[in-house]
């Protein structure tokens, strides 16, 4: 009986994930309406519930790295939440974007990309130094991890970092991504994140596509395409700057 | 037909992804540079032209609209597959490096936003589509 059920759920993984996500969202929107009278968005609660499921999945499989999708029965969640469908859905959100808004934010969007990479890199590098790292390779790799969890390992591989340091840089990037997902609705009002221009700046500063798009979805879904537009350039630019200019700079200081 | 919209969306997606990968290869990085952003701009421009010419019927638009509406559920699935354990295992250095970078970046938003102008978007009403 149980075996047959598990086999069916596994074989039809993507469909299973539709049901799991549907139920999660229903619970989240109900909690939002009943407990917070709609003040805390249902989508924000749904994302937090998703992260809780990811923790449970990772814990149940002794540290599986794919969250809930680490459990074979729920592997379909990995396909549904993977980069293929996520990027397709992000592109679909641009249906309704006002190009005039994008043009008006060209300068601030570009500046935010460079500033975002520099600020995150130097803070990550500074933390590495504070924790006692003294070699340019490790400092650069951890700094790159604070940029995004993709830039970290790419940079680490390019400059020849130790695998423990690479793992640390991935962890720093994951912390950033998860924190942006959950904290954007809380910061939105304070920092004026309520228009396409500041959404583009936000995307450029944070850069983590998963964090930015989930954070904006939980704040105001209309802003998602603007944030996504800039953040999609961030990881590539980070992979360009960190192992080159920024590594040479660190090498100049720390030998 | 609905598939026309889905095919248009997917076509723009692929063109953007390929262009982004070429761009990455051209500047020598192992990453896609702006692929999704390029796809988005392409879709906006192509749809604008087609709608003005009356070539994109409502049903075709619904094909794009479906994926637009699936966006938040997909993001929830994405959250559910994050390596939360890995983030916690990184210890204090990872928490501080990622956490401080995030908080400082938030407070850069109002500073850099001054370089451009945006029209305020009205807040959404729950439940969203």
């Amino acid at each position: 009986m149980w075996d047959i059920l598990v086999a069916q759920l596994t074989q039809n993984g993507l469909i299973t994930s539709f049901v799991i996500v549907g139920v999660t969202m229903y619970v989240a929107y109900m909690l939002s309406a009943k407990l917070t009278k709609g003040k805390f968005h249902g989508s924000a609660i749904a994302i937090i519930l998703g992260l809780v499921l990811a923790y449970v999945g990772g814990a149940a499989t002794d540290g599986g790295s794919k969250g809930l999708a680490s459990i074979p029965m729920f592997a379909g969640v990995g396909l549904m939440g993977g980069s293929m469908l996520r990027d397709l859905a992000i592109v679909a959100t641009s249906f309704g974007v006002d190009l005039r808004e994008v043009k008006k934010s060209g300068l601030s969007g570009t500046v935010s990309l460079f500033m975002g990479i520099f600020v995150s890199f130097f803070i990550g590098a500074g933390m590495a130094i504070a924790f006692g790292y003294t070699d340019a390779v490790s400092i650069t790799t951890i700094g790159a991890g604070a940029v995004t969890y993709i830039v970290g390992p790419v940079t680490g591989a390019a400059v020849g970092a130790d695998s423990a340091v690479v793992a640390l840089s991935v962890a720093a990037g994951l912390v950033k991504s998860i924190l942006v997902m959950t904290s954007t609705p809380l910061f939105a009002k304070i920092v004026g994140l309520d228009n396409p221009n500041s959404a583009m700046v936000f995307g450029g500063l944070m850069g983590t596509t998963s964090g930015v798009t989930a954070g904006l979805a939980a704040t105001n879904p209309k802003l998602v395409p603007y944030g996504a537009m800039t953040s999609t350039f961030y990881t590539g630019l980070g992979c360009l700057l960190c192992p080159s200019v920024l590594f040479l700079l660190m090498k100049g200081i720390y030998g | 037909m609905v598939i026309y919209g889905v095919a248009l969306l997917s076509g723009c997606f692929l063109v953007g992804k390929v262009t982004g990968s070429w761009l990455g290869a051209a500047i020598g990085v192992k990453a896609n540079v702006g692929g999704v952003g390029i796809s988005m701009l392409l879709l906006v421009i192509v749809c604008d032209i087609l709608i003005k010419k009356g070539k994109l019927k409502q049903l075709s638009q619904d094909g794009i609209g479906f994926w637009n509406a699936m966006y938040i559920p997909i993001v929830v699935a994405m959250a559910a597959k994050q390596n939360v354990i890995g983030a916690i295992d990184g210890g204090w250095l990872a928490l501080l490096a990622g956490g401080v970078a995030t908080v400082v970046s938030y407070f850069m938003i109002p500073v850099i936003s001054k370089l451009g102008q945006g029209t305020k978007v009205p807040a959404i009403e729950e439940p969203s589509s």
Side-chain angles (χ1 to χ4, degrees):
Chain A
M1 277 289 281
W2 178 250
D3 291 350
I4 293 174
L5 175 72
V6 171
Q8 281 300 321
L9 292 181
T10 312
Q11 275 171 29
N12 301 297
L14 185 59
I15 312 298
T16 306
S17 72
F18 290 156
V19 176
I20 295 170
V21 171
V23 171
T24 308
M25 290 197 60
Y26 180 78
V27 172
Y29 277 84
M30 199 181 64
L31 288 176
S32 164
K34 294 259 162 72
L35 291 183
T36 74
K37 293 196 178 108
K39 271 185 192 144
F40 206 65
H41 281 307
S43 43
I45 297 174
I47 288 162
I48 292 168
L49 288 180
L51 290 169
V52 172
L53 289 177
Y55 179 83
V56 172
T61 52
D62 286 326
S65 65
K66 286 181 273 177
L68 188 64
S70 309
I71 302 172
M73 195 177 20
F74 302 129
V77 171
L79 179 57
M80 182 179 173
S83 65
M84 179 172 68
L85 289 182
R86 184 199 66 190
D87 290 351
L88 184 75
I90 292 176
V91 175
T93 63
S94 71
F95 190 63
V97 154
D98 190 342
L99 270 187
R100 283 167 303 180
E101 296 288 349
V102 176
K103 274 185 200 154
K104 272 195 280 184
S105 307
L107 175 66
S108 50
T110 312
V111 170
S112 71
L113 272 170
F114 283 92
M115 284 308 291
I117 289 167
F118 290 143
V119 165
S120 290
F121 178 86
F122 286 118
I123 288 172
M127 290 297 163
I129 294 163
F131 274 73
Y133 285 92
T134 49
D135 61 299
V137 168
S138 301
I139 294 170
T140 306
T141 305
I142 294 168
V147 174
T148 72
Y149 59 79
I150 296 171
V151 180
V154 167
T155 304
V159 300
D162 186 67
S163 72
V165 172
V166 171
L168 207 53
S169 81
V170 173
L174 285 171
V175 168
K176 183 178 176 188
S177 163
I178 291 168
L179 201 62
V180 174
M181 281 186 201
T182 49
S183 65
T184 305
L186 307 175
F187 279 92
K189 260 197 190 138
I190 311 172
V191 298
L193 190 53
D194 57 8
N195 62 72
N197 176 51
S198 59
M200 282 185 70
V201 170
F202 169 71
L205 280 171
M206 296 300 184
T208 149
T209 308
S210 39
V212 165
T213 54
L216 287 176
T219 308
N220 184 347
K222 286 208 183 83
L223 298 176
V224 168
Y226 300 100
M229 191 97 66
T230 38
S231 75
T232 136
F233 287 91
Y234 186 93
T235 290
L237 194 60
C239 289
L240 180 67
L241 294 175
C242 291
S244 57
V245 186
L246 292 169
F247 176 58
L248 289 177
L249 186 69
M250 288 295 127
K251 221 173 168 208
I253 302 171
Y254 286 90
Chain B
M1 284 208 284
V2 170
I3 185 65
Y4 294 159
V6 179
L8 178 66
L9 167 65
S10 306
C12 291
F13 171 88
L14 289 176
V15 171
K17 281 272 178 175
V18 171
T19 313
S21 298
W22 277 340
L23 212 57
I27 56 176
V29 297
K30 291 177 221 137
N32 190 298
V33 180
V36 175
I38 296 164
S39 311
M40 292 169 90
L41 289 174
L42 196 63
L43 184 71
V44 172
I45 294 165
V46 172
C47 283
D48 195 48
I49 295 171
L50 289 176
I51 289 174
K52 270 183 192 151
K53 284 190 174 171
K55 296 264 182 190
L56 199 67
K57 302 264 159 59
Q58 187 57 44
L59 261 174
S60 309
Q61 292 185 29
D62 290 348
I64 303 170
F66 171 76
W67 286 103
N68 187 349
M70 280 301 281
Y71 172 71
I72 290 176
I74 284 174
V75 162
V76 173
M78 177 186 78
K81 62 156 274 207
Q82 294 296 309
N83 188 2
V84 177
I85 303 262
I88 297 169
D89 279 351
W92 282 107
L93 172 51
L95 279 175
L96 284 172
V100 177
T102 306
V103 173
V104 173
S105 297
Y106 273 121
F107 288 100
M108 301 281 295
I109 297 175
V111 182
I112 299 178
S113 291
K114 283 187 188 136
L115 294 171
Q117 274 184 329
T119 320
K120 195 170 170 179
V121 173
I124 44 155
E125 287 155 25
E126 291 281 336
S128 60
S129 57

